[in-house]
Amino acid sequence: QVQLVESGGGLVQVGGSLRLSCAGSRGTFSSAVVAWFRQAPGKEREFVAGFHWNGGDTQYIDSVKGRFTMSRDNTKNIAVLQMNDLRPEDTAVYYCAAATSGDYARFNLWGQGTQVTVSS
């Protein structure tokens, strides 16, 4: 069974850092687009960052540029979102997702989500 498992969420103060990890089943990420989304209370889910697992530029929404960095560990099949200088507006449930077709418009695998709370 294909699974995406997130970890690393928690409570942090403004300006702090958190590191989220997304572990995929073996082979899940090959040829896929892997991304992070988030959903804050009362808001729609939004794309945060993503890349093609096999290479290429990483895409970020403007509000996280310069603060968040997405990376990969090919040997462990893990995608990482390093979040620095966190702000209250970053508070949300963060989801890892994969589009196994390689198409940013077709995310077909989702993790269970991990809560990130930034306190002021």
Side-chain angles (χ1 to χ4, degrees), residues 26-37:
R26 184 172 182 171
T28 299
F29 292 156
S30 60
S31 302
V33 169
V34 182
W36 290 93
F37 289 76

